Amino acid sequence: IAEAAILRVRHCRADIFCRRPPPRCPACGRPLRGAGLPAAPLRLPSPFRHGHQQPRAFLLRPTAGTFLGGYDGKSDLHVGITNSHGVVYNYNEEGIHRAETGWEQCISIPLVQPDMFGLLQEWDKLLEEFSVGEAWLPHRYEEHDHNCYTYALAFINSVLAARGKQQMSKSEFTEKFVIPQTKKASKYITLHQELTANEFYIVPLPDQEKQC
């Protein structure tokens, strides 16, 4: 599902968000044509990715539904790790799944840099071997202490340990990698919801940006 683009126009000391660029400023009614560069429509980059096109990544999506399909910001999230072909390995009360669909709208955090040649080659084998471990049998699942996040982070830490690198705690990984992405996603979801209900969403600029 292609999501509708969100555009930003800057005029009247405000950011005006919309789906289609308006001919006139919705705040003052003046024409936007010829109003200078800030008034030119700028497309906001979407924070969401098609998970099955993101190799060797940590993915995050709502357990039910999609981020732009009614997610309320409080419902449970589900995480997984992709192999080099975009198959999403994820763990829940039924054990390990290798999903080829269902992760079309995710937050994606790449885990392997392009110069890590050895890891690029070994990734699929490491992920598969890790996933058949006894720790990930269905009866071991525990909603709060042994869940999809435990699985994904344990795999990441096993890769770090094998390379002699320091492992990460859940709070460290979340703070460093997940929170910056979820903050962006949260802002985008708010804009999407506002523009589903209204043609424009107008946000006054903080004083230091008002020269524009």
Side-chain angles (χ1 to χ4, degrees):
I1 24 156
E3 61 198 66
I6 295 178
L7 306 175
R8 188 197 79 193
V9 173
R10 196 163 268 188
H11 200 258
C12 272
R13 300 180 174 180
D15 277 339
I16 299 156
F17 297 97
C18 51
R19 298 286 190 198
R20 281 182 299 281
R24 294 178 175 276
C25 170
C28 71
R30 291 203 302 270
L32 288 175
R33 206 171 163 178
L37 203 54
L42 178 76
R43 183 182 174 141
L44 297 193
S46 169
F48 305 116
R49 298 285 172 269
H50 190 306
H52 301 290
Q53 294 170 3
Q54 305 294 313
R56 307 175 196 89
F58 174 97
L59 301 183
L60 191 70
R61 69 162 171 78
T63 303
T66 62
F67 280 116
L68 295 178
Y71 178 66
D72 61 6
K74 295 187 273 297
S75 309
D76 287 345
L77 293 170
H78 191 45
V79 306
I81 303 264
T82 50
N83 70 4
S84 62
H85 303 289
V87 175
V88 185
Y89 282 62
N90 61 100
Y91 177 59
N92 66 9
E93 61 277 10
E94 294 163 7
I96 293 289
H97 299 265
R98 295 163 183 79
E100 295 186 25
T101 59
W103 296 72
E104 288 78 15
Q105 194 186 86
C106 304
I107 289 171
S108 171
I109 297 161
L111 295 172
V112 184
Q113 303 304 320
D115 59 354
M116 299 178 173
F117 300 113
L119 195 49
L120 290 172
Q121 303 305 316
E122 289 180 275
W123 187 263
D124 290 2
K125 180 169 146 296
L126 293 171
L127 185 56
E128 182 59 41
E129 283 174 0
F130 180 82
S131 302
V132 296
E134 282 194 16
W136 315 115
L137 291 169
H139 70 273
R140 292 279 175 88
Y141 182 85
E142 208 287 313
E143 192 180 347
H144 299 294
D145 300 319
H146 195 78
N147 54 26
C148 59
Y149 206 132
T150 319
Y151 160 76
L153 188 59
F155 173 68
I156 291 167
N157 276 328
S158 74
V159 172
L160 289 171
R163 272 152 188 70
K165 299 208 171 137
Q166 198 174 343
Q167 300 193 20
M168 287 199 215
S169 67
K170 182 177 177 180
S171 58
E172 195 183 349
F173 183 81
T174 305
E175 193 128 327
K176 192 171 175 186
F177 296 104
V178 179
I179 288 175
Q181 300 294 336
T182 52
K183 277 185 176 165
K184 281 186 212 162
S186 174
K187 284 181 185 167
Y188 196 88
I189 291 168
T190 301
L191 292 173
H192 172 78
Q193 289 169 345
E194 289 288 344
L195 293 174
T196 301
N198 306 292
E199 197 177 350
F200 302 108
Y201 180 53
I202 300 174
V203 181
L205 285 171
D207 285 336
Q208 66 271 25
E209 293 185 52
K210 283 190 176 173
Q211 304 88 301
C212 302

